mmCIF file of all heavy atoms in Angstrom:
data_model
loop_
_atom_site.group_PDB
_atom_site.id
_atom_site.type_symbol
_atom_site.label_atom_id
_atom_site.label_comp_id
_atom_site.label_asym_id
_atom_site.label_seq_id
_atom_site.Cartn_x
_atom_site.Cartn_y
_atom_site.Cartn_z
ATOM 1 N N GLN A 252 33.260 -22.623 49.887
ATOM 2 C CA GLN A 252 32.005 -21.927 49.876
ATOM 3 C C GLN A 252 31.043 -22.521 50.846
ATOM 4 O O GLN A 252 30.354 -21.889 51.674
ATOM 5 C CB GLN A 252 31.374 -21.845 48.490
ATOM 6 C CG GLN A 252 32.160 -21.066 47.460
ATOM 7 C CD GLN A 252 31.549 -21.188 46.147
ATOM 8 O OE1 GLN A 252 30.630 -21.875 45.868
ATOM 9 N NE2 GLN A 252 32.089 -20.357 45.144
ATOM 10 N N VAL A 253 31.014 -23.816 51.065
ATOM 11 C CA VAL A 253 30.112 -24.449 52.037
ATOM 12 C C VAL A 253 30.591 -24.131 53.328
ATOM 13 O O VAL A 253 29.849 -23.977 54.257
ATOM 14 C CB VAL A 253 30.156 -25.984 51.650
ATOM 15 C CG1 VAL A 253 29.353 -26.805 52.836
ATOM 16 C CG2 VAL A 253 29.508 -26.384 50.294
ATOM 17 N N VAL A 254 31.932 -24.148 53.558
ATOM 18 C CA VAL A 254 32.437 -23.862 54.916
ATOM 19 C C VAL A 254 31.982 -22.445 55.292
ATOM 20 O O VAL A 254 31.630 -22.113 56.351
ATOM 21 C CB VAL A 254 33.928 -24.119 54.885
ATOM 22 C CG1 VAL A 254 34.479 -23.601 56.299
ATOM 23 C CG2 VAL A 254 34.201 -25.531 54.817
ATOM 24 N N ALA A 255 32.243 -21.468 54.143
ATOM 25 C CA ALA A 255 31.957 -20.143 54.483
ATOM 26 C C ALA A 255 30.399 -20.063 54.755
ATOM 27 O O ALA A 255 29.976 -19.165 55.546
ATOM 28 C CB ALA A 255 32.373 -19.263 53.308
ATOM 29 N N ARG A 256 29.546 -20.719 54.042
ATOM 30 C CA ARG A 256 28.202 -20.586 54.260
ATOM 31 C C ARG A 256 27.740 -21.154 55.630
ATOM 32 O O ARG A 256 26.812 -20.735 56.209
ATOM 33 C CB ARG A 256 27.453 -21.331 53.086
ATOM 34 C CG ARG A 256 26.101 -20.820 52.753
ATOM 35 C CD ARG A 256 25.585 -21.292 51.344
ATOM 36 N NE ARG A 256 26.051 -22.628 51.024
ATOM 37 C CZ ARG A 256 26.715 -22.991 50.032
ATOM 38 N NH1 ARG A 256 26.974 -22.093 49.179
ATOM 39 N NH2 ARG A 256 26.942 -24.276 49.692
ATOM 40 N N ASN A 257 28.491 -22.191 55.981
ATOM 41 C CA ASN A 257 28.056 -22.806 57.203
ATOM 42 C C ASN A 257 28.831 -22.390 58.383
ATOM 43 O O ASN A 257 28.752 -22.789 59.518
ATOM 44 C CB ASN A 257 28.224 -24.368 57.159
ATOM 45 C CG ASN A 257 27.257 -24.879 56.021
ATOM 46 O OD1 ASN A 257 26.128 -24.354 55.862
ATOM 47 N ND2 ASN A 257 27.714 -26.021 55.466
ATOM 48 N N ASP A 258 29.780 -21.198 58.151
ATOM 49 C CA ASP A 258 30.403 -20.791 59.302
ATOM 50 C C ASP A 258 29.688 -20.074 60.262
ATOM 51 O O ASP A 258 28.919 -19.085 59.830
ATOM 52 C CB ASP A 258 31.639 -19.855 58.758
ATOM 53 C CG ASP A 258 32.669 -19.452 59.804
ATOM 54 O OD1 ASP A 258 32.597 -20.010 60.779
ATOM 55 O OD2 ASP A 258 33.464 -18.519 59.505
ATOM 56 N N THR A 259 29.687 -20.455 61.502
ATOM 57 C CA THR A 259 28.857 -19.864 62.532
ATOM 58 C C THR A 259 29.736 -19.317 63.601
ATOM 59 O O THR A 259 29.345 -18.952 64.794
ATOM 60 C CB THR A 259 27.951 -20.805 63.161
ATOM 61 O OG1 THR A 259 28.747 -21.952 63.679
ATOM 62 C CG2 THR A 259 26.974 -21.309 62.115
ATOM 63 N N THR A 260 31.003 -18.999 63.189
ATOM 64 C CA THR A 260 31.986 -18.307 64.188
ATOM 65 C C THR A 260 31.445 -16.853 64.507
ATOM 66 O O THR A 260 31.219 -16.102 63.611
ATOM 67 C CB THR A 260 33.248 -18.293 63.694
ATOM 68 O OG1 THR A 260 33.756 -19.662 63.337
ATOM 69 C CG2 THR A 260 34.294 -17.693 64.626
ATOM 70 N N VAL A 261 31.276 -16.684 65.856
ATOM 71 C CA VAL A 261 30.833 -15.331 66.253
ATOM 72 C C VAL A 261 32.188 -14.500 66.599
ATOM 73 O O VAL A 261 32.889 -14.888 67.554
ATOM 74 C CB VAL A 261 29.870 -15.434 67.383
ATOM 75 C CG1 VAL A 261 29.414 -14.127 67.890
ATOM 76 C CG2 VAL A 261 28.552 -16.303 66.940
ATOM 77 N N GLU A 262 32.205 -13.336 66.134
ATOM 78 C CA GLU A 262 33.304 -12.511 66.361
ATOM 79 C C GLU A 262 32.761 -10.994 66.656
ATOM 80 O O GLU A 262 31.703 -10.614 66.074
ATOM 81 C CB GLU A 262 34.317 -12.399 65.326
ATOM 82 C CG GLU A 262 35.004 -13.703 64.882
ATOM 83 C CD GLU A 262 35.945 -13.535 63.801
ATOM 84 O OE1 GLU A 262 35.857 -12.440 63.147
ATOM 85 O OE2 GLU A 262 36.655 -14.433 63.455
ATOM 86 N N THR A 263 33.460 -10.342 67.555
ATOM 87 C CA THR A 263 33.090 -8.938 67.849
ATOM 88 C C THR A 263 33.961 -7.929 67.186
ATOM 89 O O THR A 263 35.158 -8.209 67.002
ATOM 90 C CB THR A 263 33.073 -8.592 69.273
ATOM 91 O OG1 THR A 263 32.347 -9.594 69.957
ATOM 92 C CG2 THR A 263 32.654 -7.212 69.617
ATOM 93 N N ALA A 264 33.481 -7.060 66.453
ATOM 94 C CA ALA A 264 34.236 -6.077 65.541
ATOM 95 C C ALA A 264 33.679 -4.603 65.770
ATOM 96 O O ALA A 264 32.514 -4.570 65.935
ATOM 97 C CB ALA A 264 34.195 -6.476 64.109
ATOM 98 N N LEU A 265 34.638 -3.762 65.659
ATOM 99 C CA LEU A 265 34.266 -2.299 65.735
ATOM 100 C C LEU A 265 34.036 -1.853 64.319
ATOM 101 O O LEU A 265 35.160 -1.947 63.394
ATOM 102 C CB LEU A 265 35.347 -1.613 66.363
ATOM 103 C CG LEU A 265 35.426 -1.798 67.959
ATOM 104 C CD1 LEU A 265 36.504 -0.798 68.562
ATOM 105 C CD2 LEU A 265 34.054 -1.523 68.560
ATOM 106 N N LEU A 266 33.018 -1.335 63.913
ATOM 107 C CA LEU A 266 32.645 -0.977 62.462
ATOM 108 C C LEU A 266 32.403 0.568 62.495
ATOM 109 O O LEU A 266 31.757 1.036 63.402
ATOM 110 C CB LEU A 266 31.481 -1.633 61.887
ATOM 111 C CG LEU A 266 31.729 -3.199 61.729
ATOM 112 C CD1 LEU A 266 30.330 -3.735 61.111
ATOM 113 C CD2 LEU A 266 32.912 -3.515 60.898
ATOM 114 N N ASP A 267 32.939 1.215 61.482
ATOM 115 C CA ASP A 267 32.748 2.667 61.344
ATOM 116 C C ASP A 267 31.464 2.759 60.304
ATOM 117 O O ASP A 267 31.592 2.400 59.218
ATOM 118 C CB ASP A 267 33.970 3.339 60.685
ATOM 119 C CG ASP A 267 33.864 4.872 60.702
ATOM 120 O OD1 ASP A 267 32.828 5.426 61.371
ATOM 121 O OD2 ASP A 267 34.545 5.500 60.045
ATOM 122 N N VAL A 268 30.492 3.294 60.753
ATOM 123 C CA VAL A 268 29.203 3.449 60.080
ATOM 124 C C VAL A 268 29.421 4.993 59.321
ATOM 125 O O VAL A 268 29.273 5.884 60.104
ATOM 126 C CB VAL A 268 27.888 3.450 60.839
ATOM 127 C CG1 VAL A 268 26.722 3.614 59.940
ATOM 128 C CG2 VAL A 268 27.838 2.066 61.597
ATOM 129 N N VAL A 269 29.461 4.921 58.043
ATOM 130 C CA VAL A 269 29.842 6.145 57.386
ATOM 131 C C VAL A 269 28.575 6.567 56.576
ATOM 132 O O VAL A 269 28.152 5.937 55.711
ATOM 133 C CB VAL A 269 31.066 6.070 56.361
ATOM 134 C CG1 VAL A 269 31.230 7.233 55.563
ATOM 135 C CG2 VAL A 269 32.250 5.484 57.009
ATOM 136 N N LEU A 270 27.931 7.583 56.939
ATOM 137 C CA LEU A 270 26.782 8.154 56.275
ATOM 138 C C LEU A 270 27.184 9.247 55.325
ATOM 139 O O LEU A 270 26.652 9.310 54.176
ATOM 140 C CB LEU A 270 25.768 8.675 57.261
ATOM 141 C CG LEU A 270 24.473 9.304 56.715
ATOM 142 C CD1 LEU A 270 23.741 8.312 55.852
ATOM 143 C CD2 LEU A 270 23.572 9.845 57.883
ATOM 144 N N LEU A 271 27.855 10.279 55.789
ATOM 145 C CA LEU A 271 28.407 11.410 54.973
ATOM 146 C C LEU A 271 29.868 11.432 55.298
ATOM 147 O O LEU A 271 30.346 11.040 56.300
ATOM 148 C CB LEU A 271 27.569 12.609 55.287
ATOM 149 C CG LEU A 271 25.974 12.733 54.896
ATOM 150 C CD1 LEU A 271 25.518 13.904 55.486
ATOM 151 C CD2 LEU A 271 25.991 12.698 53.427
ATOM 152 N N PRO A 272 30.638 12.260 54.399
ATOM 153 C CA PRO A 272 31.967 12.505 54.870
ATOM 154 C C PRO A 272 32.269 13.113 56.267
ATOM 155 O O PRO A 272 33.228 12.860 56.929
ATOM 156 C CB PRO A 272 32.531 13.447 53.750
ATOM 157 C CG PRO A 272 31.664 13.143 52.578
ATOM 158 C CD PRO A 272 30.300 12.790 53.184
ATOM 159 N N THR A 273 31.201 13.841 56.602
ATOM 160 C CA THR A 273 31.258 14.525 57.925
ATOM 161 C C THR A 273 30.332 13.957 58.994
ATOM 162 O O THR A 273 29.992 14.466 60.000
ATOM 163 C CB THR A 273 30.921 16.130 57.910
ATOM 164 O OG1 THR A 273 29.569 16.152 57.234
ATOM 165 C CG2 THR A 273 32.009 16.829 56.968
ATOM 166 N N GLN A 274 29.691 12.852 58.630
ATOM 167 C CA GLN A 274 28.693 12.195 59.590
ATOM 168 C C GLN A 274 28.965 10.551 59.560
ATOM 169 O O GLN A 274 28.805 9.934 58.600
ATOM 170 C CB GLN A 274 27.262 12.365 58.940
ATOM 171 C CG GLN A 274 26.146 11.952 59.938
ATOM 172 C CD GLN A 274 25.917 12.860 61.027
ATOM 173 O OE1 GLN A 274 26.212 13.956 61.007
ATOM 174 N NE2 GLN A 274 25.375 12.436 62.180
ATOM 175 N N HIS A 275 29.483 10.241 60.670
ATOM 176 C CA HIS A 275 29.925 8.829 60.916
ATOM 177 C C HIS A 275 30.026 8.598 62.341
ATOM 178 O O HIS A 275 30.048 9.512 63.249
ATOM 179 C CB HIS A 275 31.304 8.383 60.129
ATOM 180 C CG HIS A 275 32.449 9.117 60.644
ATOM 181 N ND1 HIS A 275 33.147 8.794 61.649
ATOM 182 C CD2 HIS A 275 32.887 10.367 60.143
ATOM 183 C CE1 HIS A 275 34.176 9.488 61.764
ATOM 184 N NE2 HIS A 275 34.060 10.636 60.894
ATOM 185 N N GLY A 276 30.112 7.286 62.607
ATOM 186 C CA GLY A 276 30.198 6.814 64.089
ATOM 187 C C GLY A 276 30.531 5.406 64.207
ATOM 188 O O GLY A 276 30.276 4.535 63.287
ATOM 189 N N VAL A 277 31.397 5.069 65.238
ATOM 190 C CA VAL A 277 31.779 3.711 65.455
ATOM 191 C C VAL A 277 30.979 2.972 66.328
ATOM 192 O O VAL A 277 30.450 3.435 67.469
ATOM 193 C CB VAL A 277 33.229 3.788 66.095
ATOM 194 C CG1 VAL A 277 33.839 2.348 66.336
ATOM 195 C CG2 VAL A 277 34.137 4.605 65.165
ATOM 196 N N VAL A 278 30.598 1.771 66.050
ATOM 197 C CA VAL A 278 29.549 0.917 66.702
ATOM 198 C C VAL A 278 30.244 -0.590 66.913
ATOM 199 O O VAL A 278 31.146 -0.942 66.037
ATOM 200 C CB VAL A 278 28.216 0.759 65.961
ATOM 201 C CG1 VAL A 278 27.568 2.070 65.858
ATOM 202 C CG2 VAL A 278 28.279 0.046 64.721
ATOM 203 N N SER A 279 29.840 -1.128 67.980
ATOM 204 C CA SER A 279 30.386 -2.456 68.249
ATOM 205 C C SER A 279 29.472 -3.504 67.621
ATOM 206 O O SER A 279 28.208 -3.720 68.086
ATOM 207 C CB SER A 279 30.437 -2.759 69.760
ATOM 208 O OG SER A 279 30.907 -4.007 70.052
ATOM 209 N N ALA A 280 29.840 -4.169 66.535
ATOM 210 C CA ALA A 280 28.959 -5.077 65.791
ATOM 211 C C ALA A 280 29.426 -6.567 66.101
ATOM 212 O O ALA A 280 30.517 -6.678 66.799
ATOM 213 C CB ALA A 280 29.138 -4.859 64.407
ATOM 214 N N VAL A 281 28.611 -7.491 65.609
ATOM 215 C CA VAL A 281 28.895 -8.944 65.731
ATOM 216 C C VAL A 281 29.023 -9.466 64.340
ATOM 217 O O VAL A 281 28.085 -9.260 63.474
ATOM 218 C CB VAL A 281 27.812 -9.628 66.666
ATOM 219 C CG1 VAL A 281 28.071 -11.119 66.550
ATOM 220 C CG2 VAL A 281 27.942 -9.181 67.978
ATOM 221 N N ARG A 282 30.067 -10.297 63.962
ATOM 222 C CA ARG A 282 30.117 -10.903 62.765
ATOM 223 C C ARG A 282 29.953 -12.352 62.918
ATOM 224 O O ARG A 282 30.540 -13.129 63.702
ATOM 225 C CB ARG A 282 31.738 -10.670 62.151
ATOM 226 C CG ARG A 282 31.943 -11.425 60.925
ATOM 227 C CD ARG A 282 33.287 -11.072 60.414
ATOM 228 N NE ARG A 282 33.601 -11.650 59.127
ATOM 229 C CZ ARG A 282 34.611 -11.524 58.345
ATOM 230 N NH1 ARG A 282 35.697 -10.920 58.884
ATOM 231 N NH2 ARG A 282 34.713 -12.182 57.231
ATOM 232 N N VAL A 283 29.103 -12.737 62.102
ATOM 233 C CA VAL A 283 28.679 -14.341 61.946
ATOM 234 C C VAL A 283 28.895 -14.649 60.511
ATOM 235 O O VAL A 283 28.004 -14.413 59.676
ATOM 236 C CB VAL A 283 27.329 -14.517 62.421
ATOM 237 C CG1 VAL A 283 26.897 -16.035 62.346
ATOM 238 C CG2 VAL A 283 27.042 -13.909 63.822
ATOM 239 N N GLY A 284 29.966 -15.336 60.232
ATOM 240 C CA GLY A 284 30.424 -15.552 58.782
ATOM 241 C C GLY A 284 30.568 -14.272 58.152
ATOM 242 O O GLY A 284 31.462 -13.504 58.486
#
Side-chain angles (χ1 to χ4, degrees):
Q252 291 177 355
V253 171
V254 171
R256 209 167 32 238
N257 298 328
D258 186 10
T259 58
T260 304
V261 178
E262 298 177 350
T263 302
L265 294 178
L266 298 182
D267 188 12
V268 181
V269 181
L270 178 59
L271 293 171
T273 58
Q274 186 81 16
H275 60 90
V277 179
V278 299
S279 178
V281 173
R282 177 177 182 178
V283 182

